[in-house]
């Protein structure tokens, strides 16, 4: 984002006015549109509010913008040519589409992280730069720069990547499959999206875990699905709940993240796992198994996926995001042929397939000698960070929080024992220089916090939890 | 795709039976699902039909599959465990989703290209490997392998790429914009998809060119839009048609590809262009300007985009696909701030953003000294290929075809003068070793052909047109 230059001879307010005028003339703020409030713009630009007031006054003086008390500052309508021109009412278009906006807390978190790069980040559900195999990927990039053709790729995904996944999934996940049963996607996210768009129709009932990552996805609502909850207790979901939901609502699909679940970190109990597979098979009910975390199992023994015991009932979803690099955007789905066919056809309409470059890198990485040592190092480091966050929480907030110690994954799911307002706590934490995700994003009651201890660097964890503790104490008053 | 190995000691039919058994046990063909017909599988595997008959007989003998006359060969239902298990009825799910499948001709073309790598390809709308800057991209990949972090990227797109685009668009397209008005997408395809999903709602009326790339996109129908036609004549669309559609149907948006249109190659006439902008401004009607081809203008003077004269009425879409490398999957949209905001929020739900690696490469490429010489070389080569295809058509089919010579773009739009059946012509051409897109895919009457002369290598064009001519003569009988 543009910021005024304090070393420039022009006064700050003039620089800001010039930049706004330029952006208005480029169509970024069309005639009639609302400009940011003075306070907000001041925050974004890192200047005093009075500087923005001066800049707005300048633009008002030349007739480019208009302010009215109570309705904010807008771009003037009739300054853009001799005859009155009409700009499309973009606001109406933006509000009118059928796709729902993201959960407000998530938008707030994204905004805060963009505005303040110094925030200690327990919110982004991904690895820190010191856990990702950046060096390895860079080396592979250097070596693999001999691509001969960069044309449209196979809609199902780059063949060498699918072939590398066949052996990877066999070796690491106990899944026997073939390249023609794999669809490459832009992370698990796109797998979930394709399933909701292409295999379900508005009005269909589906079951999701509660709490669950899926609650943070308006995608389910945009697709017009009816959502029913499967409460997650210390052993995961209860198979009898699945049966009950089927009886009552004829659910058409079950979405599960059985291993080191996001956000709770819970592992589906082995007995429940077998029972669940029996229920699914008895009812002919498909399970979507979202499995991004299993390979982080701290003891080095990843739990087996449902898919390995129920190849025909499970749509299996995996991703590089939580074990290597979320920015590569490489994920995969293992599914019956007809499903893979249908989804790869549909995604031609959406994005015409994934870029070949990251797919090639992912294939190289899976086939390289780097993968095994990387996963070992990753597990060790996650365990170390988990212990850091737990110790810090015990030191700082012993009687105020409770949690179950996770055995894998990137997150700690933490209950705040006294009653607390999620929104106040989040805002106070941001002011204190730390950020997390309020549990209600995942459909839980308020008073839970998800700490992604994988994301901050190791040396930020203790001070991050201190800042969080100070915020909590201040909110509790 | 797996093929039997003729050098293997095992007989071919046994290899095929083993492979099928493996794929069935992996869940690729669930119990009850239909297997390919003997003829189709034989074609796919490149073996005689009798070999497949033997393989199926083998599998029937061990009870894995069942054949019934008239309803084909299916995977048996009760062989998979002691108790009767129910596999989800995947077929019903695949048919039941709300997203529509691709146009049958396009699916057929994709399938044919996958099956026979020797086809001379006038169908894929992209550059041949000898026109794409593969060497340059490889060099940049080698040099740019110093990325420090591969985390989730900014949802609006990689900042350095957006900044590089600001100067690129200013210099090459006469568009003044800022990084915050740009959204990076997975090619123009995703821009179009996001617009239809997020700015329009089911039942909305929109206008599209006829013929047009958009007719090949079931995406418009999946979004529940009502489509109205703007006929393209030798000067492009007629502004008065836009006004009439607005009056009659309250169209909410106009989708145009004004420069070297796909498929016709037509250029919007300058007078019509100004008139169109006036109509749009008078009606407050947004225009989506899809502009992938302008920089290929053979005379080196790319026509200006609508966007450069109507920044607030136009959503401008660009892409690397037709000027550099379609497999990078890098495209961009220039739009008012509120639109960029809305779309980048929504795409978080769909794919969580584009991979950073191709975005970084695209940024490097735009800022490198390679870009200008590459574009010059591209234009010269396209012109050369255009002339090759035209000369070949004149030599082979002088009285049977007619066309307007395009001044830019990748395609030649060709009318077949005698009456001809599109489907028969396509199948005969495929048998003869050449492939193209039938014009009806783009909404035109039958009897048109789109030749993408950019796609075959120069030395394939003459023989490709010969093969096409032979196919046409044989179909005309
Ligand atoms: C359970 C779960 N599924 C899917 C995703 C999406 O991740 P990606 O698309 O990066 O693979 C996440 C990310 O937070 C997740 O936690
Ligand atoms: C007019 C037009 N728009 C958009 C596209 C989509 O291309 P991409 O997504 O590769 O940029 C195409 C591809 O054929 C096209 O011809």
């Amino acid at each position: 984002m543009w910021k005024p230059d304090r070393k420039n001879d022009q006064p700050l307010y003039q620089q800001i006015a010039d930049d706004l005028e330029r952006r208005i003339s480029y169509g970024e703020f069309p005639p009639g549109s609302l400009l940011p409030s003075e306070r907000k713009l001041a925050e974004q630009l890192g200047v005093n509010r009075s500087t923005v007031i001066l800049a707005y006054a300048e633009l008002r003086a030349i007739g480019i913008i208009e302010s009215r008390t109570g309705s904010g500052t807008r771009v003037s309508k009739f300054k853009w040519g001799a005859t009155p021109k009409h700009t499309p009412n973009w606001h109406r278009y933006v509000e009118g589409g059928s796709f729902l906006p993201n959960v407000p807390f998530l938008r707030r978190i994204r905004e805060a992280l963009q505005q303040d790069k110094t925030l200690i980040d327990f919110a982004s559900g991904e690895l820190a730069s010191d856990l990702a195999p950046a060096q390895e990927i860079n080396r592979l990039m250097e070596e693999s720069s001999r691509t001969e053709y960069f044309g449209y790729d196979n809609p199902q995904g780059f063949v060498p990547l699918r072939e590398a996944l066949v052996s990877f999934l066999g070796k690491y996940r106990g899944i026997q499959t073939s390249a023609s049963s794999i669809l490459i996607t832009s992370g698990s996210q796109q797998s979930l999206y394709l399933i909701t768009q292409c295999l379900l129709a508005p009005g269909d009932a589906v079951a999701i875990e509660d709490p669950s990552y899926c609650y943070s996805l308006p995608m389910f609502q945009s697709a017009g699905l009816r959502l029913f909850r499967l409460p997650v207790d210390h052993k995961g979901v209860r198979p009898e709940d699945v049966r009950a939901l089927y009886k009552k609502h004829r659910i058409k699909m079950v979405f599960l993240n059985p291993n080191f679940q996001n956000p709770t970190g819970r592992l589906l109990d082995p007995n429940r796992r077998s029972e669940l597979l029996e229920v699914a098979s008895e009812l002919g009910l498909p399970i979507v198994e979202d499995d991004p975390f299993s390979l982080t199992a701290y003891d080095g023994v990843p739990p087996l996926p449902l898919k390995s015991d129920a190849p025909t009932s499970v749509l299996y979803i995996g991703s590089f995001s939580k074990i290597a690099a979320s920015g590569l955007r490489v994920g995969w789905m293992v599914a019956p042929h007809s499903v893979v066919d249908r989804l790869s056809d549909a995604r031609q309409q959406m994005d015409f397939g994934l870029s070949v470059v990251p797919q090639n890198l992912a294939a190289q990485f899976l086939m390289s000698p780097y993968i095994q040592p990387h996963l070992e190092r990753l597990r060790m480091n996650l365990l170390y960070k988990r212990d850091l966050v737990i110790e810090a929480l015990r030191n700082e907030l012993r009687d105020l929080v409770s949690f179950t110690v996770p055995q894998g994954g990137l997150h700690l799911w933490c209950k705040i024992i006294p009653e607390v307002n999620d929104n106040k706590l989040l805002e106070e934490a941001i002011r204190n220089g730390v950020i997390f995700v309020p549990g209600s994003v995942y459909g839980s009651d308020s008073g839970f916090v998800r700490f992604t201890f994988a994301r901050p660097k190791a040396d930020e964890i203790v001070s991050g939890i201190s800042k969080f503790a100070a915020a909590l104490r201040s909110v509790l008053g």
Side-chain angles (χ1 to χ4, degrees), chain A residues 155-156 183 339-350:
Chain A
Q156 213 182 307
L183 172 69
V339 171
V340 168
D341 252 18
R342 178 75 198 88
L343 303 192
S344 53
D345 181 72
R347 78 93 58 90
Q348 293 284 94
Q349 305 297 325
M350 300 175 179

Side-chain angles (χ1 to χ4, degrees), chain A residues 107-173:
Chain A
R107 292 156 64 96
R108 172 70 184 114
I109 289 169
R110 198 198 300 155
E111 190 189 280
L113 284 169
Q114 271 173 27
Q115 259 165 43
D116 181 355
K117 301 282 174 204
T118 69
L119 283 178
I120 296 182
D121 180 5
F122 289 105
S124 307
E126 59 178 344
L127 303 178
S129 59
D130 59 356
L131 301 187
Q135 256 188 342
E136 290 89 330
I137 295 177
N138 279 320
R139 205 165 312 147
L140 292 170
M141 188 136 53
E142 228 174 280
E143 288 165 12
S144 69
S145 53
R146 270 179 298 272
T147 310
E148 275 165 32
Y149 187 45
F150 293 93
Y152 288 120
D153 188 28
N154 185 308
Q156 213 182 307
F158 191 53
V159 174
L161 175 57
R162 287 190 274 137
E163 283 168 354
L165 279 166
V166 169
S167 51
F168 174 77
L169 291 169
K171 181 165 168 204
Y172 288 91
R173 307 301 298 120

Side-chain angles (χ1 to χ4, degrees), chain A residues 159-295:
Chain A
V159 174
L161 175 57
R162 287 190 274 137
E163 283 168 354
L165 279 166
V166 169
S167 51
F168 174 77
L169 291 169
K171 181 165 168 204
Y172 288 91
R173 307 301 298 120
I175 293 174
Q176 306 304 321
T177 187
S178 63
S180 58
S181 301
I182 296 179
L183 172 69
I184 306 298
T185 58
S186 174
S188 323
Q189 189 68 44
Q190 191 175 35
S191 292
L192 292 169
Y193 181 66
L194 286 168
I195 292 169
T196 58
Q197 289 292 309
C198 304
L199 304 181
L200 297 164
D204 281 350
V206 302
I208 63 181
E209 293 162 315
D210 178 31
S212 153
Y213 174 66
C214 295
Y215 280 99
S216 66
L217 299 178
M219 180 186 108
F220 283 90
Q221 276 126 32
S222 298
L225 303 177
R226 291 180 298 136
L227 302 180
F228 296 97
R229 301 170 169 238
L230 295 169
V232 175
D233 66 23
H234 61 293
K235 293 179 171 180
V237 298
R238 286 182 304 257
E240 61 268 31
D241 290 346
V242 173
R243 191 193 301 275
L245 286 182
Y246 181 81
K247 287 227 172 100
K248 194 149 173 209
H249 303 289
R250 293 285 141 183
I251 47 171
K252 289 192 73 175
M253 213 173 260
V254 182
F255 288 82
L256 297 179
N257 169 202
N259 299 331
F260 313 127
Q261 199 240 11
N262 180 6
T264 64
R266 292 296 197 288
L267 192 62
L268 183 64
D269 167 84
N271 290 330
R272 288 198 183 173
R273 178 177 181 278
S274 345
E275 220 182 302
L276 184 73
L277 288 177
E278 263 172 43
V279 171
S281 145
E282 186 193 318
L283 305 176
L285 188 61
I287 295 178
V288 176
E289 179 177 32
D290 188 5
D291 186 37
F293 304 116
S294 293
L295 288 175

Side-chain angles (χ1 to χ4, degrees), chain A residues 450-465:
Chain A
R450 189 193 79 170
F451 289 112
T452 302
F453 52 80
R455 183 62 177 77
K457 299 213 171 139
D459 59 12
E460 296 173 321
I461 288 183
V462 175
S463 72
I465 293 298

